[in-house]
Amino acid sequence: MSEDHRSKRAWALAVLCAAQFVSMLDITVVNLALPSIRRDLGTGVAGLQWIVGAYVLAFACFLLSGGSLGDRLGRRRVFLWGLTVFTAGSLLCAAAQTLGVLVAGRAVQGVGAALFVPATLAVLTHLYPQPGERARAIGVWSGVSALALPLGPVLGGVLVDALGWASVFWINGPFGLATVVLALRVLPEVPALPRRVDVPGQVLAVGWLGCLAAALIEAERSGWSSPGIVSLLGLAGVLLAVFLAVEHRSAEPMVPLSLFRDRRFAACNGVLFAVAFGLLGSFLFLSLFVQQVQGYSPSQAGLRMLPLLLPAAVAAPVAGRLAARYDPALPMVCGLVSTGTGLLVLATVEATTPYALWWPALVPVGAGVGLTMAPTNAALMSSVPPARAGIASATSIAGQQVGNVLGVAVVGAVVAAGFSASLTERADRLGLSPSAGREVVREAVDGGPDTGDPAGVRDRAWREEVDAALTDGIHRGLAVSGGVYLAGAAAAAVLVPARRRRRDGPADGRRGSGPQESDRGAVSR
């Protein structure tokens, strides 16, 4: 291999890693900008949920179709399209003056990420056909991707403090443009494959997920019994049923439901869903608590989230060794219990509790996630034959994004309901009339400019009541997330060890389902 070819291939790997990095970064970088956005745009809890949820909702809905489009039209071409769409969405977010424009920009970002993320692994596989080189390249790609999550809050906090919340989106403009220019020069085209896009499945997936997310996010504002919310929930159920029926009968389904007949595969997907469900929603409201309630600046808040994020990176290699020596279920169960217990401890932290007293509870939350992810993915991939590893991996990633969507929506709905109920009680104690109390609560929950201060009570005492009420709501949300993790631990303990590896070979006598071959299949799609 010539030196020029090696250099070009290294640059191509850098481009792929950069694109993956920014897609993961945008999951967490925006969280520490939310209090600033809330003040500038006058939005409430539901608005914040849409800002976070629109990105992961679009990402989840279009991820599998993005992979199919790359197969059909060429991975390099779809990669460039996706990165261009993502950059355009970022610039739209940065220029937004209203909540609607910002949410629309976040959705455009998610569509762009869904197009280019599946292409990164496909192009990487083409660049590195030898198994050993490919494994090392995937290791670099995975490491860069994992680095984005802890860097997101730190970078976001620094940018918001220095340049304002729009800067977390502006930065994607020059970054995306430079990556597109480099990609045009160094990325090779990968031969297209005759793979059909599942259009009915795609439309139905957007429909049922969108209706469900909208109902959960808007229910606290409109009322759970309102005709609009009831209709959205009913429509989501109908569309989900139709989606499952269509996917069951499709020759090339977007989601191959037959994979879920394997109990181990289904259980591992359930565990990964639980991790995604609990983590993003919890992190959103922990970020809000640190800034909105405890009064830290965005950069200070980012640094205070590191005890949650750094242990995840430290625990991941430990989990791999434990899974290899014993069974994947051991680190999975330990990790889920650790995270769930940590979240339940955080659900007892009061608005006035000093950070020095509660930060240790962040450590088991992050360490538990690190212990869970790698063994669960390994167990999942070992449950399918190599020929189906690619679609199994893509289905799992899409399921995690669905978990992110529903976690933000459900945890946010619980937080909003708890905030509203607690604030109503506090307004009553202040002696407000029922009508005045309802107006105060509505303004506070919807994020009005005066945070719901009633006339004559607009002082420090009322601000403390609002903070305490928000803390009560966050307590409920963290308790729900913790319960989901503990339920996942119980499911993993019962279901995942059901197919233990024999001493003389892989489970079920399936040779070739080891890590190396699974990895090869996972990236060959």
Side-chain angles (χ1 to χ4, degrees):
M1 182 185 299
S2 68
E3 190 64 31
D4 180 65
H5 181 74
R6 287 194 184 93
S7 175
K8 191 172 182 179
R9 192 170 66 165
W11 276 106
L13 177 60
V15 166
L16 298 174
C17 288
Q20 180 68 11
F21 177 87
V22 78
S23 72
M24 295 295 104
L25 188 75
D26 262 55
I27 293 176
T28 59
V29 73
V30 73
N31 283 344
L32 293 182
L34 293 177
S36 300
I37 294 173
R38 185 181 188 185
R39 288 192 298 270
D40 288 356
L41 301 186
T43 186
V45 173
L48 300 183
Q49 290 174 262
W50 277 118
I51 292 167
V52 175
Y55 178 74
V56 292
L57 177 61
F59 199 170
C61 287
F62 293 97
L63 180 64
L64 290 170
S65 288
S68 297
L69 281 173
D71 289 344
R72 188 177 181 86
L73 303 177
R75 278 71 173 265
R76 179 177 181 269
R77 179 186 301 177
V78 172
F79 176 89
L80 292 168
W81 287 354
L83 197 54
T84 302
V85 170
F86 178 87
T87 303
S90 300
L91 297 179
L92 179 61
C93 291
Q97 299 296 313
T98 64
L99 176 65
V101 173
L102 179 56
V103 170
R106 290 287 284 166
V108 173
Q109 281 187 302
V111 172
L115 291 174
F116 74 73
V117 166
T120 59
L121 272 178
V123 175
L124 186 151
T125 303
H126 179 76
L127 285 169
Y128 295 91
Q130 297 301 318
E133 288 185 327
R134 182 186 300 171
R136 288 191 290 272
I138 291 175
V140 173
W141 179 87
S142 300
V144 169
S145 176
L147 184 63
L149 296 178
L151 278 184
V154 178
L155 179 60
V158 170
L159 287 172
V160 172
D161 269 349
L163 302 171
W165 63 263
S167 62
V168 303
F169 302 112
W170 281 125
I171 194 174
N172 288 338
F175 185 91
L177 180 61
T179 307
V180 168
V181 171
L182 272 174
L184 286 168
R185 293 176 61 89
V186 301
L187 284 191
E189 184 54 271
V190 181
L193 299 172
R195 179 174 173 81
R196 185 177 63 86
V197 178
D198 182 10
V199 176
Q202 177 63 83
V203 172
L204 290 166
V206 172
W208 82 262
L209 263 177
C211 288
L212 181 59
L216 293 172
I217 290 173
E218 296 295 330
E220 182 57 32
R221 180 185 299 171
S222 303
W224 285 96
S225 59
S226 68
I229 298 302
V230 172
S231 298
L232 281 173
L233 289 172
L235 183 58
V238 171
L239 290 175
L240 174 59
V242 176
F243 171 78
L244 294 174
V246 167
E247 294 301 280
H248 178 69
R249 296 178 181 178
S250 175
E252 292 187 61
M254 187 171 71
V255 179
L257 300 178
S258 60
L259 288 172
F260 290 89
R261 294 172 187 161
D262 187 291
R263 190 170 71 168
R264 189 179 180 93
F265 179 86
C268 289
N269 270 287
V271 168
L272 292 171
F273 178 91
V275 171
F277 180 98
L279 191 63
L280 189 58
S282 299
F283 188 74
L284 190 164
F285 290 105
L286 279 173
S287 301
L288 192 64
F289 173 79
V290 174
Q291 292 183 79
Q292 189 84 15
V293 177
Q294 298 218 317
Y296 290 104
S297 69
S299 58
Q300 292 171 331
L303 292 173
R304 280 161 178 78
M305 289 293 101
L306 289 179
L308 184 153
L309 296 162
L310 292 180
V314 175
V318 176
R321 288 193 291 272
L322 287 173
R325 183 170 182 178
Y326 300 102
D327 186 275
L330 175 64
M332 287 166 62
V333 172
C334 291
L336 290 164
V337 170
S338 175
T339 299
T341 303
L343 288 172
L344 294 180
V345 172
L346 288 171
T348 66
V349 176
E350 298 296 337
T352 56
T353 304
Y355 176 78
L357 296 182
W358 64 265
W359 75 261
L362 295 173
V363 175
V365 174
V369 172
L371 283 172
T372 304
M373 293 299 291
T376 307
N377 279 301
L380 182 146
M381 296 309 298
S382 70
S383 69
V384 296
R388 308 198 74 187
I391 191 62
S393 176
T395 301
S396 174
I397 294 170
Q400 291 172 59
Q401 296 303 323
V402 172
N404 282 330
V405 173
L406 297 185
V408 169
V410 172
V411 174
V414 172
V415 170
F419 180 29
S420 178
S422 179
L423 201 57
T424 300
E425 294 177 4
R426 294 169 192 278
D428 290 342
R429 289 204 296 267
L430 289 174
L432 297 176
S433 66
S435 60
R438 283 193 297 271
E439 181 64 18
V440 165
V441 171
R442 187 193 66 77
E443 290 180 0
V445 173
D446 288 348
D450 296 325
T451 62
D453 288 354
V457 197
R458 196 172 290 151
D459 54 19
R460 181 180 177 84
W462 175 247
R463 179 67 262 170
E464 291 175 351
E465 294 290 344
V466 172
D467 288 345
L470 179 59
T471 303
D472 289 343
I474 292 173
H475 284 171
R476 297 189 186 188
L478 293 175
V480 168
S481 296
V484 168
Y485 273 93
L486 295 179
V494 173
L495 299 176
V496 175
R499 189 180 292 163
R500 300 182 67 90
R501 193 184 311 179
R502 299 189 327 223
R503 292 182 180 272
D504 57 348
D508 288 356
R510 273 201 298 240
R511 299 194 179 276
S513 63
Q516 187 181 29
E517 293 196 31
S518 293
D519 287 346
R520 255 201 311 271
V523 297
S524 63
R525 180 175 174 267

